[in-house]
Amino acid sequence: VPVPRLGLLTYAAPIGIRLEPGMRVLAPLGARTITGCIVDVVEEAAPVDGLKTILRVLDEQPLVPADVVKLAQWAADYYLCGPGETLAAALPPMARQRADAFKRQRVARITPEGAAVDRGSLTDKQRAAIALVAEAVDGVTLRDLESRQVTAAVIGGLAKRGLVAIERETVDRDPFVADEAGVGEAGATEAGGHAHGPGASGSPFDVEPTTEQRDALTTLTGLASEQAFSVALLHGVTGSGKTQVYLRLADAVRRHGRGVLLLVPEIALTPALAALVRRAFGDRVAIQHSGLSEGERHDQWHRIRRGDVDVVVGTRSAVFAPLQQVGLIVVDEEHDTSYKQDESPRYHGRDVAIVRGREAGALVVLGSATPSLESFQHAQSGRYRLLTLERRVLDRPLASVSIVDMREELAEQGPDVVLSGRLRKAIGQRLEAGEQSLVLLNRRGYATALFCRQCAATLECPNCSITLTVHRSAARARCHYCDHEVRVPERCVSCAGEFLEYRGVGTERIEAEIRDCYPDARIARVDRDTVRRRGAIARVLRRFARRELDVLVGTQMIAKGHDFPEVTLVGVVSADVGLGVADFRAAERTFQLLTQVVGRAGRGARQGEAYIQTLYPNHYSIRHAAKQDYRAFYDRELEYRRSMHYPPSLSMVSLVVKAPSPGQAIADAARIARQLRHAASSFDVLGPAPAPLSRLRGEHRVQIFLKGTHRAAMRQAVIRALDAHRDLARRVTVDVDPLSML
DNA sequence: AGCACGCCGACT
DNA sequence: GTCGGCGTGCTC
């Protein structure tokens, strides 16, 4: 049942009804009627006491394929959430709705008392109302009564006196009956709706593969043809043509009659890829991502279920797509953190993909220029097959990268410097030459904080332990966690001082700086603030690809997988943004982001150049990213993780306990930690300690970490600890294999 | 007294 | 997620 933290429930059903895993049923749950999904069927010779009986079977055939039901169950066990939560991810959008979503109406009926009452004792309005109710044999809905000038107040008064009865009734109407009839090709959206990405049209197979690509393909098609489970890590530098390998491999697999799942971090950010896949496989492709409307998602899901497609492109939830005979699962940019869902069910799309591949006997290909330490370690140990693309297509050189020491810039130009002289000059040169530039700063807004020079107070969020970010164009200061916002104050809110200072820069400020510097440049900004609306990012990227823009300023959104041949300059305003975070993955994230964004330069005929501004020019993640030296970074980072006992040398589970006060949060967490320590023989329990974001949306947060090599033991301990403290269960968030320490 | 609101436990 | 039960605190 679609209820968080609730395990599998057992219901009775009459003998003789066809029941199979994957079928949906209507069942009573407490006072409600809900739509559940059958996970298992057990036959009993005699009736079992204490079970409620399912009300109705909604499907004649399993809606969710049996293997996907099993996969969802595995994910629920592994990630410590309710099976209904993972199963919900596997169901088509509209089937997720509760039975209550069948229109529920309030119906009034006459009672014996009401029929017998002396109508002379009633008011005019009551008399009119009771007359209407009495003449309707099956009762009359309150909505109908209202349209006949009988207000809810009048009918409520009659109900209170027991003269009419009001009941909630579900309208018996299965939304799928209507849908199934109408499922047509209308759902075959135009490759995500926004087709033309940069690059050429025509079949992607027209391009001749490089020698390296050919070698990788030979190995991969070999592995795929074995029709047995294996995992390959395709480590290819930026611009080496990994997509080309995926597409050709996918084509080979589907020609052998097996299905292909292509998982990508966020299609909405890379509309070009969707278009490419579309051109490669035509209408044998389905697309699944959150940018589609409910109706579109529903249609795409059913196209897959019916077997109308053999290639599915989608974001993490597509790992549960109802595709049959899966022979290949590709996880593109496997290191990308958006594969991990940041709300329950907190599953990792890549890791679920590997389990699905194992169960299906499929080849799983993980691709990245900057593999996660987890994946690369498995490749090193031989568990995954390692394939490497070391050269760019057409042997184009990687960008030449310069690290700009901002300490020197500060010394020379004063504390207000944002763009170094070198980066500013480089942008100017590109404008002169008619070439394009990307400028990255992974932080949105104009300023990160508003600081009072008189009393040293900083404008903070009243609900969260964080400073408000200044968005100047909106003249608002906003919390990026709870969305609380205020007008930017003219005077300090604590001392009324009038000398307020903007501290810390964001993309909005960078855009303004570049405009100041180069008033004629055509500049656009890409971050969550500017591309909130559907299709907005595709529009900007398209304009950039058509060279209607000279400079693109943005957050990590501009670093992801885009292929702009005319970009010859990449500037990173501050490589340090992610390094300050209290997270053992800070260096890895910084390395990945820098490598990815630097890889956007020089993908066309002209050599690319990049500038990375930093206050830590000797930090290893910056140095190795500048050289695009993944191996050096990996060796160094792995050593750090080993010595500090962090993943991938062991596994972690994070628990966050929330409470209305800090003391309460600590006390509650301490109870759970005690219980965990009690069970801890093979793992360590760290904490409780205030979480880095100690207050969020008005709640105080305290953290506990489990660290160990035996995940099952840790999961077991968490289950038992939460079982022993049922009263706290709702206040605790459990994250298995957390990607963030926040 | 009557009820709005929030918290908590239960849901097969 | 959401319902019912129950306690607290407020209004008439």
Side-chain angles (χ1 to χ4, degrees):
Chain A
V1 294
V3 177
R5 289 183 298 276
L6 193 52
L8 293 174
L9 304 181
T10 307
Y11 286 88
I15 284 178
I17 304 188
R18 220 164 73 84
L19 293 173
E20 281 178 42
M23 291 177 174
R24 291 167 310 140
V25 296
L26 224 48
L29 182 73
R32 292 176 288 162
T33 299
I34 45 85
T35 304
C37 183
I38 299 177
V39 162
D40 201 4
V41 181
V42 179
E43 285 193 37
E44 295 287 346
V48 178
D49 276 351
L51 297 187
K52 289 193 185 174
T53 305
I54 58 170
L55 303 172
R56 197 144 74 84
V57 183
L58 296 177
D59 303 304
E60 285 178 16
Q61 297 296 325
L63 183 69
V64 183
D67 62 323
V68 178
V69 173
K70 268 187 74 182
L71 186 69
Q73 233 189 313
W74 174 87
D77 292 340
Y78 185 92
Y79 291 104
L80 298 175
C81 59
E85 294 176 78
T86 49
L87 219 28
L91 285 163
M94 290 169 197
R96 295 179 197 184
Q97 292 176 6
R98 316 178 329 274
D100 293 358
F102 298 123
K103 216 158 60 201
R104 241 186 167 200
Q105 297 179 337
R106 282 183 301 176
V107 179
R109 283 195 186 79
I110 197 84
T111 62
E113 298 81 63
V117 74
D118 169 18
R119 297 200 183 174
S121 71
L122 303 174
T123 66
D124 287 354
K125 287 192 171 175
Q126 286 174 333
R127 211 168 17 247
I130 212 158
L132 283 170
V133 176
E135 79 187 26
V137 186
D138 286 332
V140 51
T141 64
L142 295 205
R143 182 178 300 239
D144 285 348
L145 286 172
E146 212 147 309
S147 67
R148 294 188 219 178
Q149 322 311 321
V150 177
T151 62
V154 171
I155 206 77
L158 291 173
K160 201 166 284 178
R161 289 170 60 180
L163 305 180
V164 301
I166 299 176
E167 283 167 27
R168 281 178 172 276
E169 286 187 2
T170 61
V171 177
D172 198 354
R173 183 205 59 186
D174 183 351
F176 291 91
V177 176
D179 292 343
E180 286 296 348
V183 172
E185 296 316 308
T189 58
E190 174 63 29
H194 18 248
H196 325 284
S201 50
S203 170
F205 299 127
D206 294 345
V207 188
E208 195 60 26
T210 65
T211 318
E212 278 187 336
Q213 285 173 327
R214 207 183 295 278
D215 290 348
L217 273 167
T218 307
T219 308
L220 290 171
T221 42
L223 287 172
S225 67
E226 286 169 19
Q227 310 216 349
F229 171 58
S230 60
V231 182
L233 176 62
L234 181 62
H235 177 211
V237 298
T238 55
S240 59
K242 292 183 288 292
T243 309
Q244 183 70 210
V245 175
Y246 306 149
L247 295 183
R248 286 183 181 268
L249 179 61
D251 197 41
V253 169
R254 83 185 186 106
R255 279 172 198 281
H256 280 90
R258 301 191 82 196
V260 178
L261 268 177
L262 173 54
L263 303 186
V264 295
E266 282 169 85
I267 301 188
L269 298 184
T270 51
L273 179 73
L276 203 61
V277 175
R278 189 79 185 166
R279 286 205 299 277
F281 306 114
D283 62 3
R284 296 295 292 175
V285 181
I287 296 203
Q288 290 198 315
H289 64 94
S290 59
L292 302 182
S293 72
E294 285 262 300
E296 289 170 322
R297 289 221 307 272
H298 172 264
D299 288 351
Q300 295 290 312
W301 195 94
H302 282 280
R303 288 179 66 222
I304 303 167
R305 185 68 183 102
R306 287 195 307 266
D308 288 355
V309 307
D310 33 38
V311 180
V312 175
V313 197
T315 45
R316 86 188 150 242
S317 68
V319 76
F320 295 109
L323 187 70
Q324 289 305 274
Q325 299 270 67
V326 174
L328 170 69
I329 307 178
V330 176
V331 184
D332 186 26
E333 308 291 3
E334 65 86 29
H335 66 279
D336 196 293
T337 54
S338 59
Y339 281 117
K340 183 79 188 267
Q341 184 148 301
D342 56 11
E343 59 187 44
S344 191
R346 297 170 187 272
Y347 64 97
H348 198 301
R350 174 198 62 210
D351 297 342
V352 176
I354 289 167
V355 172
R356 182 162 190 183
R358 190 181 70 204
E359 297 305 307
L363 168 64
V364 180
V365 177
L366 311 180
S368 178
T370 53
S372 63
L373 289 224
E374 282 79 359
S375 298
F376 203 77
Q377 195 185 38
H378 284 138
Q380 290 282 288
S381 74
R383 230 170 108 181
Y384 298 170
R385 180 70 166 263
L386 180 62
L387 298 160
T388 311
L389 304 178
E390 289 175 351
R391 312 168 88 98
R392 284 190 157 181
V393 294
L394 303 175
D395 263 333
R396 283 176 177 143
L398 289 162
S400 68
V401 184
S402 309
I403 297 176
V404 181
D405 186 345
M406 287 306 279
R407 294 170 306 184
E408 289 172 8
E409 293 284 327
L410 289 166
E412 284 166 23
Q413 302 192 43
D416 293 332
V417 61
V418 172
L419 295 176
S420 62
R422 292 163 73 191
L423 178 54
R424 204 176 318 161
K425 202 174 130 204
I427 295 171
Q429 285 168 349
R430 293 314 184 291
L431 290 171
E432 297 262 304
E435 295 170 17
Q436 293 179 301
S437 308
L438 285 181
V439 179
L440 171 90
L441 177 59
N442 200 17
R443 190 158 59 194
R444 59 203 173 91
Y446 188 82
T448 27
L450 196 60
F451 174 82
C452 171
R453 279 198 233 162
Q454 188 165 300
C455 74
T458 301
L459 187 61
E460 284 180 9
C461 176
N463 313 316
C464 311
S465 46
I466 202 85
T467 62
L468 297 183
T469 300
V470 178
H471 292 258
R472 204 171 66 166
S473 61
R476 305 237 129 201
R478 198 175 297 151
C479 173
H480 285 178
Y481 289 91
C482 76
D483 286 333
H484 172 86
E485 68 171 41
V486 295
R487 282 191 49 190
V488 176
E490 312 225 321
R491 290 161 158 267
C492 172
V493 288
S494 10
C495 76
E498 46 192 321
F499 301 103
L500 297 179
E501 185 180 311
Y502 291 138
R503 289 205 166 170
V505 302
T507 44
E508 198 185 346
R509 170 80 182 276
I510 301 308
E511 184 189 11
E513 291 271 328
I514 299 176
R515 271 189 211 289
D516 267 4
C517 219
Y518 302 107
D520 297 332
R522 298 167 301 171
I523 305 173
R525 175 160 58 93
V526 174
D527 56 32
R528 202 135 49 89
D529 299 317
T530 62
V531 295
R532 236 191 318 266
R533 295 170 309 274
R534 181 182 176 181
I537 186 161
R539 223 171 1 252
V540 179
L541 295 178
R542 198 151 53 221
R543 284 178 61 207
F544 193 64
R546 289 200 206 117
R547 306 186 65 184
E548 294 166 19
L549 295 166
D550 305 307
V551 184
L552 214 53
V553 177
T555 56
Q556 33 115 24
M557 284 181 181
I558 64 169
K560 291 192 175 181
H562 313 291
D563 189 20
F564 300 118
E566 303 304 325
V567 169
T568 55
L569 173 69
V570 165
V572 179
V573 174
S574 171
D576 310 335
V577 170
L579 285 177
V581 186
D583 193 322
F584 68 89
R585 283 185 226 267
E588 182 181 4
R589 291 238 181 78
T590 298
F591 174 82
Q592 286 164 343
L593 178 59
L594 294 179
T595 307
Q596 295 288 340
V597 74
V598 162
R600 298 311 106 208
R603 296 168 77 95
R606 271 170 298 230
Q607 160 84 37
E609 187 182 28
Y611 291 91
I612 299 177
Q613 300 187 166
T614 175
L615 292 169
Y616 311 102
N618 293 314
H619 194 284
Y620 65 98
S621 64
I622 294 172
R623 293 220 83 88
H624 295 319
K627 282 182 286 176
Q628 307 246 316
D629 190 345
Y630 176 80
R631 288 304 302 271
F633 173 79
Y634 170 81
D635 290 340
R636 171 73 198 270
E637 182 69 6
L638 192 67
E639 185 193 314
Y640 159 70
R641 303 283 182 90
R642 278 202 183 120
S643 65
M644 297 298 287
H645 302 289
Y646 280 126
S649 49
L650 43 64
S651 310
M652 294 179 76
V653 178
S654 133
L655 291 90
V656 173
V657 182
K658 286 165 284 191
S661 76
Q664 176 85 58
I666 288 274
D668 290 348
R671 283 168 64 198
I672 290 169
R674 251 191 63 194
Q675 186 82 26
L676 288 168
R677 288 212 164 82
H678 193 67
S681 48
S682 65
F683 56 88
D684 287 331
V685 180
L686 282 69
L693 207 71
S694 64
R695 210 155 66 90
L696 184 64
R697 294 173 216 277
E699 289 178 312
H700 292 267
R701 305 161 77 243
V702 162
Q703 217 168 21
I704 300 167
F705 283 110
L706 307 191
K707 273 182 173 185
T709 49
H710 194 196
R711 265 202 205 87
M714 297 194 285
R715 287 202 306 264
Q716 231 16 73
V718 171
I719 290 168
R720 260 185 265 129
L722 294 185
D723 239 21
H725 300 288
R726 293 281 191 84
D727 55 327
L728 298 181
R730 207 195 307 237
R731 319 248 74 199
V732 180
T733 307
V734 181
D735 193 347
V736 177
D737 302 337
L739 279 192
S740 159
M741 310 271 289
L742 298 181

